Amino acid sequence: MSKPGIPTIKFTKLFINNEFVDATSGKTFEVINPATGTVLAHVSEGDKADVNKAVAAASKAFSRNSPWRSMTAFERSQLMQKFADLVWEHRDYLAALESADNGKTYANAQGDIFASVATFRYYAGWCDKIKGTTINDDPKYVTYTQKEPIGVVGQIIPWNYPFLMLAWKWGPALATGCTIILKPAEQTPLSALFAASLIKEAGFPPGVINVIPGYGPTAGAAISEHPDIRKVAFTGSTEIGHIIMEAAAKTNLKRVSLELGGKSPLVIFDDCDVKKAAQIAHNAIFDNHGQSCCAGSRTFVQSGIYDEFVQHAKKLASQIKVGDPFDPTTQQGPQIDQDMLDKVIGLINSGKQEGAVVETGGERLGTKGYFVKPTVFSQVQDNMRIAKEEIFGPVQSILKFKTMDEVIDRANSTNYGLAAGIITQDIDKALLFAKSVEAGSVWINCYDAITPARPFGGFKNSGVGRELGEEGLKEYLEVKTIAIKVGI
Ligand code: ADP
């Protein structure tokens, strides 16, 4: 490929029943390039009328004896592999699209596409391994369970990892044989629309996958309230998670899985190699510009190494090269939009006002695009907003602790519970922490150790259900118990 840059945008319409179509209302919305603040594309704006059309297509695709329902698991798996092949073939284009749309560096976008292909292939392998059990509880019966696809599912995804979140949603939904209405985030619809074109090219029957770009309160709400959608899978803020669950409860009790926010602790004991620990902690918060639900956003450092650690953290953050996502030397691009820029700067200002010490950064970078200087705060106290609220930006909050008991209590004193990490040479400390911390993923001497095979999701307000791994399949399956009386 020639030097990467903003690619030609080929697909901007809704994708329903294997066709690209205008929104019923005829409306479009602007998609902004976060690196410049200028318009990248005009995309069709779906709303309730379009969701209804997509649900009709997905319901037909899921009907008894439809081509999709009549396929063997092996055939379904082959289709998924074919789709993964096409994504791989177009990986450079997709990475460029993602980078332009989201602002993440081209190299990071390439990493996301690679991880997405791994996810599709992992779940393709599951198609023919979904099994029930036999139950021998009564000699007069033969009883068995059968796992069946839930049916038409709605999937609402965020802007921070647009294509990877699509992969986490489509993988298990397709492997189990469901049909799909996906709503990408309004900030980042482009990679999902291109993926839709590959779905058609791969040969999926019409209606199996439908993509409806649009806004949350209109298109998103139409999905979570729809009476014929049997399950909604959502990744986004805890605030919207509440709304989705309420909509499901008020309508048809559709199944709900939610992957929400976090304020994840990474605890560093003074027996570690401080330089290595600082690097792990740095990546844990600054990856993807801090726009990650499982970001290690509370760095707890034991008192014996606190000052030395802060110096390493400051050096690493001040060396990050911020700028054009397509420049190969750039390590951090812009935040996603003006709202997020304002939120991050607002929280940075609150940290200053509440008495935390800015070691580096602490302000916006430039006036064009939505760039923030990588920021490190030391002397952070538990009651400060930067220690309690999800910032979703390149801001490291470093807190001091003395003992294991103290740090476990402080790590758990949040309503979130998505992830946690510990860095120590002491196996006993590591295991005690892993047992005690309230989090869906615990990483020991590493962070963000996520693969398609490892379940991911939150305790407490960080979510409901799990994605990835075998656990992720369960969210898309109903269990049917069949009892046969013998010898009547
Ligand atoms: P973030 O704060 O990361 O932008 P949101 O939770 O606002 O996260 O958005 C994540 C996804 O949820 C997006 O696709 C957005 O359009 C969608 N969304 C926002 N509001 C609603 C809503 N009321 N109902 C359904 N989906 C919504």
Side-chain angles (χ1 to χ4, degrees), residues 216-482:
T218 49
I223 289 175
S224 51
E225 289 166 5
H226 204 290
D228 296 333
I229 291 182
R230 303 261 179 88
K231 176 225 160 54
V232 63
F234 170 76
T235 299
S237 60
T238 297
E239 182 198 346
I240 305 297
H242 283 278
I243 293 175
I244 303 248
M245 205 163 190
E246 195 181 343
K250 280 190 172 154
T251 52
N252 61 341
L253 293 176
K254 56 176 69 63
R255 311 291 181 259
V256 176
S257 57
L258 305 172
E259 202 263 273
L260 308 174
K263 194 70 189 173
S264 300
L266 171 55
V267 173
I268 297 161
F269 277 85
D270 60 13
D271 60 24
C272 70
D273 177 324
V274 183
K275 208 171 163 190
K276 281 188 190 158
Q279 184 68 58
I280 294 171
H282 172 86
N283 295 346
I285 180 66
F286 289 103
D287 273 2
N288 212 40
H289 325 167
Q291 302 173 142
S292 170
C293 48
C294 59
S297 52
R298 287 184 294 154
T299 312
F300 285 99
V301 180
Q302 205 167 17
S303 48
I305 55 164
Y306 188 86
D307 293 339
E308 186 189 350
F309 181 95
V310 168
Q311 289 315 308
H312 284 297
K314 174 180 175 176
K315 189 168 171 214
L316 288 169
S318 58
Q319 285 170 346
I320 294 181
K321 183 158 181 288
V322 185
D324 174 8
F326 286 105
D327 178 336
T329 63
T330 295
Q331 294 163 301
Q332 180 185 307
Q335 307 309 117
I336 190 71
D337 60 14
Q338 186 70 46
D339 283 354
M340 281 309 298
L341 175 69
D342 293 344
K343 182 183 172 197
V344 172
I345 297 296
L347 278 159
I348 288 176
N349 289 338
S350 81
K352 292 176 187 170
Q353 280 152 16
E354 290 182 323
V357 176
V358 178
E359 297 286 345
T360 183
E363 58 193 7
R364 181 177 184 180
L365 178 67
T367 52
K368 206 172 70 135
Y370 313 119
F371 296 92
V372 175
K373 288 189 184 169
T375 300
V376 173
F377 277 111
S378 65
Q379 310 301 335
V380 178
Q381 307 299 322
D382 292 352
N383 60 357
M384 293 178 180
R385 287 183 62 201
I386 55 169
K388 291 193 299 197
E389 296 178 31
E390 190 175 41
I391 302 176
F392 233 62
V395 183
Q396 184 170 31
S397 300
I398 312 182
L399 304 103
K400 192 186 283 185
F401 77 94
K402 289 204 178 79
T403 68
M404 175 62 105
D405 267 352
E406 170 207 335
V407 81
I408 289 172
D409 287 344
R410 290 172 65 193
N412 285 340
S413 97
T414 165
N415 289 330
Y416 290 120
L418 192 56
I422 177 166
I423 303 178
T424 178
Q425 293 299 310
D426 183 336
I427 185 79
D428 194 56
K429 282 198 180 91
L431 294 181
L432 178 61
F433 180 78
K435 271 170 82 91
S436 312
V437 72
E438 295 167 343
S441 294
V442 183
W443 295 305
I444 298 174
N445 290 334
C446 59
Y447 204 83
D448 283 328
I450 299 169
T451 72
R454 300 175 186 170
F456 182 86
F459 281 28
K460 303 192 282 188
N461 288 10
S462 287
V464 173
R466 292 291 177 272
E467 297 194 280
L468 301 180
E470 188 175 357
E471 297 292 331
L473 289 168
K474 293 181 189 162
E475 308 288 339
Y476 291 87
L477 292 166
E478 286 286 8
V479 180
K480 184 179 279 175
T481 306
I482 300 162

Side-chain angles (χ1 to χ4, degrees), residues 18 31 44 76 94 121-122 142 265 290 343 357 384 386 431:
N18 271 5
V31 176
S44 296
R76 214 162 60 238
L94 261 165
R121 295 207 191 284
Y122 170 80
V142 173
K343 182 183 172 197
V357 176
M384 293 178 180
I386 55 169
L431 294 181

Side-chain angles (χ1 to χ4, degrees), residues 56-70 151-152 177 179 206:
S59 300
K60 190 160 174 245
F62 192 74
S63 60
R64 219 158 47 84
N65 304 327
S66 70
W68 180 239
R69 295 298 295 283
S70 307
V152 177
T179 58

